[in-house]
Amino acid sequence: MSTQAQSRSLVELVGVNKHFGDQHVLKDINLAVARGEVVAVIGPSGAGKSTLCRAINRLETIDSGTISIDGRELPAEGRALAALRAEVGMVFQSFNLFSQITVLDNVTLGPVKIKGIPKADAEARAFALLNRVGVGGQADKLPAQLSGGQQQRVAIARALAMDPKVMLFDEPTSALDPEMVSEVLDVMTALARDGMTMVVVTHEMGFARKAANRVVFMADGQIVEEAPPEEFFTSPRSTRARDFLSKILRN
């Protein structure tokens, strides 16, 4: 990779390997994500996509290789890891909201407790973010009072409240009913348009085609190929990707 490419990479993985027991789930992964780039990670189940996503902020440890955020290598543990992790927003399949506190408190908790932002300032920003994702009227409700699509949009607002440099999405629509998928994808597409750096593990090929700058196709723990969306979807180079797309796009 050129020095110029390195200097503008916000996220960089070099030679990353990960095992679960005897299973080699990430095999020599090299990936650089530029500032403002949206990368869609797709592939069959068991390809290592979610493990890759979770490794980027050390929710999964790695066996070898390096992961850097904005030029700084992720430490293994401790306060330095917590500080760097605060710069990486994460949205999961399940919404992971705190069930006993309101939507507003879910969104303000991190900024107040971790960043020391005054509560009034955190609440003002939380209301702005909740409005941005279309759930401004739900601030005083508990998560259980919201639909799945609303909860996932709150989870996005909560991640954004920490003012992250990059957002990671691990199959954010897979737990949603079909009619709720588009409301979450619309929020993500708007974020992409606004220049947020994003790594999105997804089964939503329409989103990958419309919102991503680059598609990364994984199979069997490896990055098999990567290309701009139009190129990948119209003329994939590998047999593995062609087989995957023929099954996905036929259904």
Side-chain angles (χ1 to χ4, degrees):
M1 187 184 299
S2 70
T3 309
Q4 184 183 6
Q6 281 184 319
S7 65
R8 62 188 176 83
S9 294
L10 187 56
V11 178
E12 188 168 12
L13 291 79
V14 178
V16 170
N17 284 276
K18 169 72 178 178
H19 293 78
F20 289 125
D22 294 336
Q23 196 179 3
H24 197 174
V25 289
L26 294 179
K27 302 173 183 173
D28 292 318
I29 297 291
N30 295 299
L31 178 67
V33 181
R35 199 177 304 275
E37 187 179 21
V38 178
V39 174
V41 182
I42 67 172
S45 295
K49 307 182 301 293
S50 290
T51 304
L52 171 70
C53 191
R54 292 168 65 86
I56 291 174
N57 71 346
R58 268 289 196 276
L59 285 175
E60 292 289 358
T61 56
I62 58 175
D63 300 328
S64 62
T66 61
I67 300 173
S68 303
I69 307 291
D70 207 6
R72 288 180 295 159
E73 193 176 323
L74 272 180
E77 57 190 18
R79 194 167 286 183
L81 174 61
L84 208 54
R85 196 182 264 163
E87 298 181 348
V88 183
M90 182 100 191
V91 178
F92 302 87
Q93 296 178 34
S94 51
F95 322 121
N96 287 19
L97 298 174
F98 297 109
S99 60
Q100 304 304 320
I101 60 176
T102 65
V103 163
L104 181 64
D105 287 342
N106 263 280
V107 179
T108 59
L109 192 64
V112 171
K113 296 283 188 193
I114 297 170
K115 289 199 156 184
I117 293 172
K119 196 166 195 317
D121 294 349
E123 288 188 348
R125 176 150 168 76
F127 277 117
L129 287 169
L130 290 169
N131 282 323
R132 182 178 176 185
V133 300
V135 288
Q138 314 297 328
D140 294 330
K141 292 185 178 174
L142 294 173
Q145 296 173 282
L146 274 56
S147 71
Q150 289 172 324
Q151 288 188 61
Q152 192 61 295
R153 285 183 282 159
V154 172
I156 294 172
R158 180 179 63 178
L160 290 172
M162 294 296 285
D163 199 20
K165 291 179 176 177
V166 57
M167 287 278 284
L168 309 176
F169 294 85
D170 184 11
E171 304 211 17
T173 59
S174 63
L176 297 177
D177 292 335
E179 69 270 19
M180 294 175 190
V181 169
S182 63
E183 62 191 47
V184 173
L185 292 179
D186 286 348
V187 169
M188 292 168 61
T189 303
L191 278 180
R193 249 193 334 261
D194 291 344
M196 172 61 75
T197 308
M198 295 162 60
V199 177
V200 185
V201 174
T202 184
H203 288 300
E204 299 293 337
M205 297 301 122
F207 172 84
R209 195 164 197 159
K210 179 169 74 170
N213 303 107
R214 181 165 37 128
V215 171
V216 169
F217 175 73
M218 289 185 71
D220 306 316
Q222 296 174 298
I223 293 177
V224 177
E225 68 177 281
E226 46 189 306
E230 209 48 46
E231 184 182 318
F232 176 80
F233 285 108
T234 54
S235 52
R237 295 186 301 276
S238 64
T239 306
R240 196 81 176 78
R242 283 195 293 273
D243 289 349
F244 173 77
L245 286 175
S246 71
K247 291 183 182 119
I248 288 276
L249 300 177
R250 192 172 61 229
N251 291 341

